[in-house]
Amino acid sequence: MILKKPNWHTEHLLRAMLLLGFSIMLVNFLASGSIQTYISPQMVPFSCIAVGVLLILCVFQLLRSAPSSSNNRTSCECGCHHTENRTFRNSWVLASVFLIPLLTGTCFPPQILDNTLVPKRGIDTQLAQTDLGLQPFAQQLHNQNKLIVHDALYVKTLQAIEMFPELFNGTPIQISGFVYRDTTMSKSSFVLSRFHITCCTADATIVGIWVDANTPVQINDSGWVQVEGKLVTQSNNGSTTATIQLTDAKSIAQPATPYVY
Amino acid sequence: MIRLDVLALQPVWAVIFLIKSIQIIKSLSTDFMMLLFFYVFVAMVFQNHEIAGLVAEVPNIKFLLLTNTIFLGIVLEALPFLLIGALVTGVVQLVIKPGWIQKILPKNQFSAILTAVLVSFILPVCECTSIPFITRLLRKGLPQHLGVLFIMAAPIVNPITLVSTYFAFRSHMIIFYGRIVFAITIAVIISILTKYGMKDSSILLEKEEEIHREHLRQSIQPASTLVSSWFTKLQSIMNHATDDFFEAGKYVVVGALFAAFYQTGFNQNLVKSVTTNHAGSTLAMMALSFLMSLCSQADGFVASSFIGKFPTESLLAFLVFGPVLDLKTTWMLIGAFKKKFVLTFVALFFSFTFVLCMLFQYLMH
């Protein structure tokens, strides 16, 4: 009689390792703050929950893979035959699929979405959203002497300007974002834009406002500027839009939170 | 040189993993050694900015890095919901006894479907959670046509998606109502068609391991009810949750990869500007929602950025088609159901979405 050495259950062990890997990756992203490159802050609490669940599942998978475990479920007395080959192949498929995000998340630096993606997305200078709460907000903005657009209210402010352009005609404005220019635009105008993210980078839309300058503007490589100017209304084809008449543009570094949410 | 740096930078990890890996390798079959070494290496370089820095310096890598950011965005976004779904599925597996569902469902066909519609309004499941969850319910004896109804209705009319759609379309309530009405109508029609079309043949993929697992469960049932310790139950829930997480997760990862390459590699305006007529723009928006593979909670906001540029019915097509069928979910469906059923389902769902949107356009003008 040959006594077989009890074996660890490789399939479950592998799963435990993958679960551990994902939780380590998530903890690293959360700790370094680079999680915000991938998903919106609103979704971060869910990621924290995910870390907990992953670790719990990992512990149970380790228990399951232990040699003496009663939960070792591949040998049973049900009479069906398990081909080791099949389990082996499945594990390989599983491992290679889940190793892709683990590897790229580890070895690839997070890349902030930037103006190279704009031509792929199409820019959104017409937000065209009539929000019911927008009118009092626009009034409130109108009462300020100078419109300083904060990141937290970026989308809402641009919506207010777009909905009620006449209200803001002549209002001084200070706003920051990245510069986007395509071949059809003249050297002295550009679209000042930000990526707007709802859940994750896949649903990023670009919001922006037209900026006109009298002279060509020099912008450094980062493409980020803070613009000072005056809102002016222009009407073409019966619709009125607001654009910024540039008075001053200064290059700034890419902000810590480049997206607006 | 780099490897030495890595080891020096992360001594704690290196030690833990080396000890662990020696322990494990001792008792492992050689087949897995290489894989685990690979993994240990990955774990050691975790958060290694040097490697990341080196990668960043590779010329023309920006496209890949952008793709990777979107890919990880989708994966990280889906991960918590996959896990929650898997846990709920694990609980369902243990708590719901076979036959129980048939007992509580109304006998009358009409009220059974009505119940299913109402339930899909309160189930907090999005598209990533719903497919494994419903597959499990089907194995527990949920009638097939009702399962199919959930697959179509739940991702769209669940409370979370409803709230986000409401906020995205507060000024265009017709799209908000239209999305609900279209989703329910299509779900009910296809559900009835499934009932009469499939009759008694199962739509589920009969998996070797799945049969085995069910078999096993039955064979150990007496023992587990005797022991019935809470820990055994907890273990059972966790093990099933893990199985489901990996089963569904691999399709999400593959789908997310395709979707990310689409988003960075192709011009989305190309799809949108393919045609200007109503049928064309509706088809284009359906294709776009399939390829972008957005979460059903988020797609409302993306669609709202198309208001005014695209006709209303094409936005509805985007909002109804995408949550049910996209790169991730189609993969998941193929993994859980018979190919013939998936093909029929895709064809039917596609046609009904298109026809309803065209009908809407006709009625509005």
Side-chain angles (χ1 to χ4, degrees), chain A residues 94-114:
Chain A
L94 199 77
S96 31
V97 167
F98 282 90
L99 273 174
I100 303 171
L102 274 179
L103 270 176
T104 62
T106 311
C107 300
F108 283 24
Q111 170 73 47
I112 305 283
L113 304 184
D114 62 10

Side-chain angles (χ1 to χ4, degrees), chain B residues 74 127-128 131 155 251-252 255-256 258-259 286-296 299 318 320-334 345-346 349:
Chain B
I74 302 176
E127 74 272 29
C128 293
I131 293 171
Y251 299 108
V252 173
F258 280 113
M286 283 161 82
L288 192 68
S289 69
F290 181 86
L291 292 166
M292 284 181 89
S293 305
L294 301 169
C295 262
S296 59
D299 63 356
F318 182 91
V320 173
F321 193 70
V324 181
L325 288 175
D326 62 26
L327 285 170
K328 317 184 282 282
T329 53
T330 309
W331 274 87
M332 286 166 95
L333 285 174
I334 292 170
F345 177 75
V346 170
F349 191 75

Side-chain angles (χ1 to χ4, degrees), chain A residues 3 5 33 43 58 77 85 90 92 99 116 137 139 204 215 244 257:
Chain A
L3 272 174
K5 219 171 104 186
M43 291 292 158
C58 173
E77 289 157 16
N85 266 341
N90 282 351
W92 262 108
L99 273 174
T116 53
F137 180 70
Q139 260 323 318
T215 50
I244 296 177
T257 48

Side-chain angles (χ1 to χ4, degrees), chain B residues 50-348:
Chain B
E50 271 180 54
I51 296 252
L54 284 177
V55 172
E57 277 167 27
V58 176
N60 300 325
I61 193 111
K62 199 166 178 186
F63 166 73
L64 261 179
L65 294 184
L66 268 178
T67 309
N68 180 48
T69 302
I70 291 175
F71 165 62
L72 284 178
I74 302 176
V75 171
L76 295 181
E77 167 67 37
L79 194 67
F81 298 100
L82 272 175
L83 286 166
I84 294 166
L87 279 182
V88 174
T89 310
V91 174
V92 165
Q93 167 71 21
L94 192 77
V95 171
I96 296 182
K97 300 270 173 291
W100 184 75
I101 296 173
Q102 281 104 324
K103 223 180 285 169
I104 60 153
L105 267 180
K107 291 285 164 291
N108 180 312
Q109 280 312 314
F110 175 76
S111 12
I113 287 185
L114 192 70
T115 314
V117 169
L118 291 178
V119 169
S120 54
F121 272 95
I122 49 168
L123 276 183
V125 292
C126 57
E127 74 272 29
C128 293
T129 35
S130 75
I131 293 171
F133 175 68
I134 287 154
T135 314
R136 183 63 63 196
L137 283 182
L138 285 172
R139 292 196 194 282
K140 285 283 179 181
L142 176 75
Q144 298 197 116
H145 64 289
L146 297 185
V148 173
L149 189 146
F150 281 135
I151 286 176
M152 286 175 282
I156 297 175
V157 300
N158 74 68
I160 306 155
T161 307
L162 280 188
V163 168
S164 77
T165 315
Y166 173 77
F167 278 106
F169 294 103
R170 255 194 293 193
S171 55
H172 296 75
M173 288 303 276
I174 187 151
I175 294 181
F176 174 72
Y177 293 123
R179 188 179 195 185
I180 301 171
V181 171
F182 278 28
I184 296 297
T185 313
I186 298 168
V188 169
I189 294 172
I190 296 185
S191 163
I192 294 170
L193 286 176
T194 315
K195 182 168 168 55
Y196 294 103
M198 294 303 289
K199 295 224 161 58
D200 294 328
S201 56
S202 170
I203 56 171
L204 283 172
L205 208 59
E206 291 297 335
K207 283 195 179 158
E208 212 180 295
E209 25 178 339
E210 202 60 56
I211 296 166
H212 175 74
R213 214 179 278 152
E214 290 295 306
H215 198 145
L216 199 71
R217 202 179 41 74
Q218 281 156 14
S219 67
I220 62 158
Q221 201 85 49
S224 70
T225 42
L226 268 179
V227 178
S228 177
S229 84
W230 63 270
F231 189 72
T232 322
K233 281 183 179 166
L234 194 65
Q235 258 186 328
S236 162
I237 291 175
M238 293 302 172
N239 291 347
H240 277 113
T242 315
D243 291 346
D244 278 328
F245 169 69
F246 280 105
E247 185 60 31
K250 66 181 179 212
Y251 299 108
V252 173
V253 172
V254 175
L257 200 58
F258 280 113
F261 271 109
Y262 168 72
Q263 291 213 4
T264 48
F266 293 87
N267 189 338
Q268 268 119 85
N269 291 319
L270 214 64
V271 175
K272 295 184 223 158
S273 63
V274 140
T275 171
T276 46
N277 67 34
H278 289 282
S281 62
T282 302
L283 287 176
M285 287 308 247
M286 283 161 82
L288 192 68
S289 69
F290 181 86
L291 292 166
M292 284 181 89
S293 305
L294 301 169
C295 262
S296 59
Q297 300 110 280
D299 63 356
F301 292 96
V302 176
S304 72
S305 73
F306 301 146
I307 297 178
K309 294 169 209 158
F310 293 93
T312 312
E313 75 276 359
S314 70
L315 295 185
L316 277 170
F318 182 91
L319 290 168
V320 173
F321 193 70
V324 181
L325 288 175
D326 62 26
L327 285 170
K328 317 184 282 282
T329 53
T330 309
W331 274 87
M332 286 166 95
L333 285 174
I334 292 170
F337 297 105
K338 284 182 178 153
K339 279 212 177 54
K340 201 180 149 201
F341 167 74
V342 177
L343 280 178
T344 325
F345 177 75
V346 170
L348 281 177

Side-chain angles (χ1 to χ4, degrees), chain A residues 36-158:
Chain A
Q36 295 207 0
T37 321
Y38 303 107
I39 59 175
S40 120
Q42 283 170 296
M43 291 292 158
V44 169
F46 288 105
S47 290
C48 298
I49 296 172
V51 172
V53 177
L54 282 168
L55 287 174
I56 294 168
L57 290 184
C58 173
V59 169
F60 277 94
Q61 281 301 295
L62 281 176
L63 285 176
R64 200 184 186 186
S65 66
S68 59
S69 167
S70 59
N71 264 312
N72 193 336
R73 291 188 164 189
T74 47
S75 58
C76 62
E77 289 157 16
C78 63
C80 36
H81 225 69
H82 270 278
T83 45
E84 273 301 314
N85 266 341
R86 193 186 150 78
T87 326
F88 177 71
R89 202 183 60 224
N90 282 351
S91 302
W92 262 108
V93 171
L94 199 77
S96 31
V97 167
F98 282 90
L99 273 174
I100 303 171
L102 274 179
L103 270 176
T104 62
T106 311
C107 300
F108 283 24
Q111 170 73 47
I112 305 283
L113 304 184
D114 62 10
N115 49 17
T116 53
L117 202 63
V118 179
K120 301 266 163 49
R121 289 296 172 112
I123 204 147
D124 208 17
T125 46
Q126 296 166 277
L127 294 151
Q129 252 181 296
T130 12
D131 193 316
L132 297 174
L134 217 51
Q135 188 141 23
F137 180 70
Q139 260 323 318
Q140 197 187 322
L141 289 179
H142 176 61
N143 294 338
Q144 298 170 8
N145 292 330
K146 187 183 179 189
L147 200 57
I148 297 170
V149 184
H150 299 287
D151 284 3
L153 294 169
Y154 203 91
V155 178
K156 210 175 175 188
T157 309
L158 287 190

